[in-house]
Amino acid sequence: MPRKGSQARTKILHSAADLLKRAGAETLTIEGTASQAGVAKGLVHYHFKTKQLLLCEVLKHVSTTRCAAWSEAFDADSPTAVVDQTWALLTQESDAGVLRAWHSLLGLEHILTDQTAKATMEGFSSTLADALQSMLDRNMGLEPSVPKLELGWLAAAVVNGMGVQLMAGGDRTKLEGAYAAAWLGILSLTRPPT
């Protein structure tokens, strides 16, 4: 059975993430987080000490959740299904505010350490590299013609760039076509096993 302290910490973390999804990281306050979580401000400080530590933990939470969702989206029967599933996930993340939280957290240079942001981006890119490799092995019998991690970084750049376009209100039909074209480019960097 989870301890009450860990339940309160989790509730605070989820509340902060919900606030970030609605308004981004710049507006997050300890007071607002406490109010959203239905706890005393002192309890937020007890579990996270500072706003910087709270934001770092929220970034880790959002990153872990996001990596799991993206790994799952790659588990499909064909590359076309993967593109469709990942596009659906990307639009869902945009609609739910996950992209707002993600990008606003990564943009907090003055609050988050470069180390935290770097580790987060490396983790997401690595997750996409592993998921892409698994998809290639399972569905196509192909391997990357460039280092696997480079392919992951490229996929992360496509996903994050399209995410920014979605957040900016870009035409979803045009963006979906561009997203599919980008995946054709990514898949062109594969070959039969040597």
Side-chain angles (χ1 to χ4, degrees):
M1 174 189 252
R3 294 182 359 208
K4 281 189 178 185
S6 66
Q7 288 175 340
R9 186 179 194 285
T10 300
K11 186 175 185 179
I12 293 166
L13 195 59
H14 286 249
S15 295
D18 288 344
L19 289 170
L20 291 175
K21 289 173 186 175
R22 288 196 298 263
E26 290 293 335
T27 63
L28 185 83
T29 64
I30 296 292
E31 296 82 7
T33 302
S35 176
Q36 176 78 13
V39 301
K41 179 180 167 183
L43 191 58
V44 178
H45 281 295
Y46 172 78
H47 286 288
F48 298 99
K49 308 295 183 235
T50 65
K51 179 179 174 180
Q52 179 180 5
L53 290 176
L54 174 62
L55 288 169
C56 284
E57 290 302 311
V58 172
L59 178 57
K60 289 175 190 174
H61 168 72
V62 169
S63 178
T64 299
T65 304
R66 192 166 191 236
C67 285
W70 278 88
S71 287
E72 186 178 320
F74 271 83
D75 191 20
D77 294 336
S78 71
T80 303
V82 169
V83 172
D84 291 344
Q85 285 181 191
T86 58
W87 175 254
L89 176 57
L90 190 56
T91 58
Q92 176 190 17
E93 287 181 334
S94 177
D95 294 342
V98 172
L99 295 177
R100 179 179 298 109
W102 173 264
H103 288 286
S104 69
L105 283 164
L106 290 175
L108 291 176
E109 298 168 0
H110 63 288
I111 295 177
L112 297 177
T113 64
D114 286 341
Q115 204 171 23
T116 303
K118 181 181 176 192
T120 299
M121 285 307 302
E122 285 176 355
F124 187 64
S125 297
S126 179
T127 294
L128 293 184
D130 290 343
L132 184 55
Q133 180 68 60
S134 178
M135 181 207 67
L136 292 172
D137 291 343
R138 185 178 60 250
N139 293 317
M140 303 173 75
L142 297 174
E143 64 182 27
S145 59
V146 299
K148 179 177 96 169
L149 194 52
E150 287 181 16
L151 207 56
W153 277 99
L154 177 59
V158 167
V159 168
N160 288 323
M162 287 294 168
V164 169
Q165 293 288 334
L166 286 168
M167 288 187 329
D171 181 313
R172 286 191 178 199
T173 302
K174 290 178 183 174
L175 290 175
E176 184 175 12
Y179 183 77
W183 275 103
L184 285 174
I186 290 170
L187 290 173
S188 75
L189 297 173
T190 63
R191 64 177 179 228
T194 54

